Amino acid sequence: MGSTKILVVDDELIMRESLAGWLYRDGYDVKTVGSGEEALERLKGTRFDILLVDIKMEGISGLDLLRQVKEDDPDVAVVMITAYGSISTAIEAMKNGAFDYLLKPFDPEALGVVIDKIIEHQDQARENIFLREQFKDRTRFESMIGQSKAMQEVFDLIQDVAPTGSTVLITGETGTGKGLAAKAIHTNSPRCEGPFVQVNCGAIPEHLMESELFGHQKGAFTDAKETKKGRLELAHDGTLLLDEIGEIGMRMQIDLLRVLEDGVFYRVGGTQPIEVDFRVIASTNRNLEEAIKEGIFREDLYYRLNVISFQMPSLRERKEDIPLVAEHFLLRFSQETNKPVDQISREAIDEMMLYEWPGNVRELENALERAVVVCKGRKILPEDLPIFRPEYLALPNGNSLKRVETEHITKILNINQWNIAKSAKVLGVDRSTLYNKIKRYQIPKPT
Amino acid sequence: MIVPPPHSIAISPVGASDTELLIQVGKEISRIFGYQTEIIPLLKDVDFALDPSRNQYHSTLILGELASLAPHAIKVVAIVQVDLFIPILTHIFGEAQLGGKACIISIYRLREGLSSLSNPEFYHKRVVKEAIHELGHTFRLRHCRDQSCIMHYCRTVKDVDRRSDQFCRYCKVLLEDEMKRLNRNWGSRNPAI
Ligand SMILES: [Zn+2]
Ligand SMILES: [Zn+2]
């Protein structure tokens, strides 16, 4: 969230603790581990921007760790720490993609310079991605679809909330359509004639955020050649969606709170107060209450935003909607690609019903887009769906999809005392499909 | 040992001290943080923290000792003459327990570029800024990227001179948050107050 994540890898406790303490006071999010093995374990679950690695360690050496890390994620900056000034190893490390190396103990100034350089580098990369994404065509037809009870409740809530003008907080996993819900609130509100302005707080690099939100005055900084309106100003008389609000840094939280309280702000470098009137909708896939406990989200801002809140259901909580939503995407993509694909086979639907869809509707949308492209006939078959591709089967936590699915089916079967008809209904699949799965995964029936 | 009144910040000189300087530090700390200050030498020396191979003093060890010696002060800042280090770095100007009680500054490197006679005010200013900066850490503030903010990390003494002795608006809000939190905790522990 805003701050750069650093992992310190050193087998000497006192070294890694003193370095971590220093970096933490310097404002970074710092973790420490005592070996290369632990580092690799740690990196499975979390992404770090910078690794500070001691070259000389028992077990996996600093150099081996560097190679492994760069292979998995070339964008991670690795700085080697060397105790003896063993320049040859350090040079070897540089050849293998290390960003730099430091002789320990290092001058605080040297450390600061290296870290600043890395951050500048990474900010630039993020800025480039952001600028590229910004101009991507986002004209895809979008709508919220669902007949499930969960979705009907969401529709009712939107109808109730829209006219009130209240601040709304929408929670839910990624890909559940939080942005669509926000848009629906806007279009059903008295502000529907005004602009709907979206700010993706997770995508805008921290150093651009202030000027993106508040705008800037000509000459406020080197690149400020013209006075530019920020998104807050653009949202005047309309609705402002703060998407992924949980990703916003501390400083912006303080600024946003002030705007929400006073309705007034200043452009960067500006002295003229700007009054704005907009409705705020915030959305997040984070648990903000947890973030408050961790001290990375302000409680006062949370209460400002959480006037009315609701949660978008995940796709697996409304599996009965899958066929309908899939049909909708099929129609859209077959029109877009001019391919005469107009059916989804029963087996393909069954596979979709059994899959957990961690990426929710957005993942289903991508799956259908691909399926329409690769489909050879008029009918989508299971093998057209990307959920079958081998690289898809490895989940981030190392579980295979097969195992997850086996566990899920076994659980449902046991709950229903192995009543196939009942279990098939709960799973939303055909009885024959369930039989096939039991056979394929060799799920044992308890005796 | 003299017990300072609660809610005061203790300023603890180690070794020969410049009274005029200490008074100025105390005044500025009061002005910025709104607490009373007391000048109390809590440590006779810091020899226990000496690393003979480096001929420098390990500041983290001193902080642990300081915190235990000032039970009644809300915060304590030690001012030492010797050169400080933490194991990974060649030297430091000061160190603080983030969100804790104790912090320390060394004047060893703050005289850089100044002859002892010329302009004591200039030198005093450096000491005051460093003390406020380290105390800021004990109020949970971390480094700030605003170069004129007192919580900006200064790599050189020149940077210290350039930096103001004020908190930027963000750090001000975060400091107020922490003060509120401390008052709340104090109130709940001491319902009579
Ligand atoms: Zn500091
Ligand atoms: Zn600041």
Side-chain angles (χ1 to χ4, degrees):
Chain A
M1 179 181 299
S3 71
T4 302
K5 284 172 98 89
I6 302 181
L7 182 65
V8 176
V9 191
D10 196 327
D11 53 0
E12 243 184 300
L13 178 74
I14 190 152
M15 288 297 172
R16 64 173 185 267
E17 289 305 322
S18 76
L19 182 53
W22 178 264
L23 293 167
Y24 188 70
R25 279 188 292 275
D26 216 9
Y28 304 111
D29 183 353
V30 194
K31 298 283 184 294
T32 59
V33 288
S35 69
E37 286 82 355
E38 278 177 64
L40 290 175
E41 198 51 46
R42 197 62 186 248
L43 287 164
K44 273 186 202 159
T46 322
R47 193 188 179 278
F48 288 86
D49 302 297
I50 303 175
L51 259 63
L52 293 167
V53 179
D54 192 13
I55 284 196
K56 203 168 163 287
M57 289 187 292
E58 298 281 323
I60 299 179
S61 74
L63 211 55
D64 289 339
L65 178 64
L66 164 73
R67 290 195 191 104
Q68 177 96 45
V69 167
K70 290 305 263 189
E71 198 180 304
D72 293 347
D73 186 352
D75 293 339
V76 178
V78 182
V79 176
M80 308 308 289
I81 301 171
T82 162
Y84 308 109
S86 48
I87 301 294
S88 58
T89 326
I91 287 171
E92 180 69 20
M94 298 294 286
K95 278 188 201 148
N96 281 277
F99 189 89
D100 210 337
Y101 66 92
L102 291 163
L103 301 179
K104 117 177 123 170
F106 26 94
D107 191 299
E109 192 176 353
L111 174 64
V113 167
V114 169
I115 296 203
D116 282 356
K117 234 199 291 178
I118 293 173
I119 290 174
E120 199 180 308
H121 203 81
Q122 293 181 340
D123 274 351
Q124 191 60 53
R126 263 174 222 139
E127 190 172 328
N128 291 342
I129 293 171
F130 168 67
L131 293 174
R132 242 187 355 253
E133 295 285 311
Q134 220 183 6
F135 295 110
K136 259 197 187 162
D137 186 21
R138 292 200 193 278
T139 52
R140 272 187 169 178
F141 165 76
E142 284 174 328
S143 63
M144 280 195 291
I145 303 158
Q147 293 174 336
S148 60
K149 192 158 163 278
M151 275 316 270
Q152 293 304 319
E153 277 171 16
V154 168
F155 296 147
D156 288 347
L157 258 165
I158 289 172
Q159 288 300 335
D160 291 346
V161 164
T164 65
S166 276
T167 301
V168 183
L169 178 66
I170 307 172
T171 59
E173 293 174 15
T174 35
T176 48
K178 299 185 287 293
L180 298 182
K183 186 81 198 274
I185 292 173
H186 171 73
T187 42
N188 287 290
S189 78
R191 292 172 181 271
C192 60
E193 299 290 324
F196 177 78
V197 177
Q198 187 165 348
V199 182
N200 186 341
C201 304
I204 302 177
E206 174 99 25
H207 66 289
L208 296 183
M209 194 66 169
E210 195 179 2
S211 128
E212 273 299 317
L213 283 181
F214 304 109
H216 59 247
Q217 213 66 34
K218 187 177 172 177
F221 42 89
T222 336
D223 289 340
K225 306 250 186 314
E226 300 293 331
T227 294
K228 185 188 143 199
K229 283 186 182 181
R231 310 231 182 154
L232 260 56
E233 215 171 326
L234 296 172
H236 186 59
D237 282 336
T239 304
L240 177 72
L241 169 60
L242 298 167
D243 194 11
E244 292 187 47
I245 187 80
E247 305 310 310
I248 204 164
M250 240 327 142
R251 300 166 85 92
M252 280 302 112
Q253 291 180 35
I254 290 172
D255 282 337
L256 265 182
L257 180 69
R258 213 175 51 168
V259 179
L260 297 184
E261 279 173 348
D262 308 343
V264 172
F265 67 92
Y266 297 84
R267 291 190 192 127
V268 178
T271 48
Q272 192 79 22
I274 294 166
E275 270 186 61
V276 276
D277 172 37
F278 51 71
R279 176 189 208 162
V280 175
I281 302 177
S283 72
T284 181
N285 57 11
R286 240 180 206 262
N287 182 338
L288 290 182
E289 273 147 14
E290 283 296 314
I292 291 169
K293 273 192 214 132
E294 284 170 45
I296 48 182
F297 201 83
R298 294 185 65 86
E299 198 173 3
D300 43 13
L301 179 59
Y302 175 71
Y303 287 118
R304 271 275 156 191
L305 297 172
N306 189 19
V307 178
I308 296 172
S309 74
F310 64 89
Q311 185 167 14
M312 290 298 288
S314 67
L315 192 53
R316 67 188 166 279
E317 286 170 291
R318 55 181 188 105
K319 282 200 161 174
E320 61 267 47
D321 285 336
I322 289 175
L324 187 71
V325 179
E327 291 287 348
H328 160 79
F329 288 134
L330 175 72
L331 179 68
R332 185 174 106 202
F333 291 123
S334 62
Q335 281 170 353
E336 272 182 19
T337 55
N338 271 322
K339 276 184 81 168
V341 187
D342 54 10
Q343 279 175 65
I344 304 174
S345 74
R346 177 72 224 181
E347 294 75 21
I349 290 277
D350 283 351
E351 291 299 340
M352 288 192 251
M353 297 298 275
L354 283 170
Y355 182 60
E356 289 290 290
W357 299 105
N360 293 295
V361 181
R362 196 175 302 146
E363 187 183 3
L364 179 61
E365 180 181 9
N366 293 339
L368 260 301
E369 183 173 20
R370 178 185 183 277
V372 168
V373 172
V374 300
C375 179
K376 294 200 179 66
R378 300 187 62 133
K379 206 187 247 186
I380 304 265
L381 301 173
E383 51 268 37
D384 299 328
L385 293 167
I387 41 183
F388 270 117
R389 284 188 299 167
E391 67 263 37
Y392 225 88
L393 298 183
L395 296 182
N397 55 10
N399 282 335
S400 71
L401 178 67
K402 185 183 146 192
R403 215 182 89 206
V404 173
E405 198 183 2
T406 310
E407 274 170 15
H408 182 57
I409 295 173
T410 312
K411 198 176 90 192
I412 300 298
L413 282 167
N414 287 339
I415 288 169
N416 294 295
Q417 280 98 37
W418 276 71
N419 181 320
I420 300 296
K422 249 197 213 164
S423 302
K425 202 166 166 218
V426 173
L427 290 164
V429 300
D430 217 52
R431 265 182 301 174
S432 60
T433 305
L434 182 55
Y435 274 122
N436 284 337
K437 292 263 173 192
I438 293 169
K439 222 162 68 190
R440 200 198 308 166
Y441 295 155
Q442 301 175 344
I443 298 172
K445 186 174 179 178
T447 43
Chain B
M1 199 179 75
I2 314 149
V3 177
H7 277 76
S8 79
I9 293 176
I11 300 165
S12 179
V14 182
S17 55
D18 172 346
T19 318
E20 199 187 316
L21 171 63
L22 291 177
I23 290 170
Q24 199 189 335
V25 170
K27 245 182 18 212
E28 290 301 298
I29 289 174
S30 280
R31 183 177 66 81
I32 298 271
F33 294 98
Y35 290 97
Q36 283 179 285
T37 51
E38 291 281 323
I39 298 167
I40 322 154
L42 293 164
L43 289 165
K44 214 163 73 252
D45 57 61
V46 288
D47 292 351
F48 59 92
L50 175 70
D51 182 329
S53 68
R54 298 180 57 145
N55 200 22
Q56 286 174 307
Y57 295 77
H58 185 179
S59 56
T60 317
L61 299 178
I62 306 173
L63 291 181
E65 196 64 21
L66 265 183
S68 68
L69 287 173
H72 296 284
I74 188 151
K75 305 286 178 195
V76 52
V77 50
I79 301 177
V80 300
Q81 327 267 326
V82 297
D83 199 19
L84 299 174
F85 79 96
I86 56 172
I88 196 77
L89 298 178
T90 49
H91 66 271
I92 55 175
F93 293 139
E95 193 191 353
Q97 296 173 325
L98 196 82
K101 181 177 265 188
C103 61
I104 185 168
I105 61 165
S106 159
I107 60 166
Y108 187 86
R109 288 168 194 266
L110 294 182
R111 288 185 181 278
E112 205 180 284
L114 300 175
S115 75
S116 53
L117 294 171
S118 77
N119 212 345
E121 221 173 288
F122 211 67
Y123 159 67
H124 285 188
K125 249 197 182 136
R126 287 182 182 173
V127 179
V128 166
K129 283 179 189 173
E130 283 306 289
I132 295 171
H133 175 95
E134 293 304 334
L135 275 170
H137 283 313
T138 67
F139 285 97
R140 257 176 234 278
L141 298 180
R142 293 157 80 188
H143 287 155
C144 175
R145 69 174 115 93
D146 183 338
Q147 290 189 4
S148 61
C149 174
I150 188 76
M151 290 316 292
H152 185 70
Y153 171 63
C154 294
R155 292 189 190 138
T156 63
V157 183
K158 267 196 209 118
D159 293 339
V160 176
D161 292 337
R162 227 168 306 157
R163 182 176 68 181
S164 80
D165 58 356
Q166 302 290 327
F167 292 101
C168 74
R169 61 197 169 95
Y170 299 105
C171 291
K172 231 179 247 166
V173 171
L174 296 173
L175 180 65
E176 278 163 21
D177 286 354
E178 177 63 5
M179 298 235 180
K180 267 185 233 154
R181 201 187 64 86
L182 288 172
N183 287 337
R184 236 185 0 246
N185 287 359
W186 179 264
S188 63
R189 266 203 313 268
N190 302 276
I193 295 170

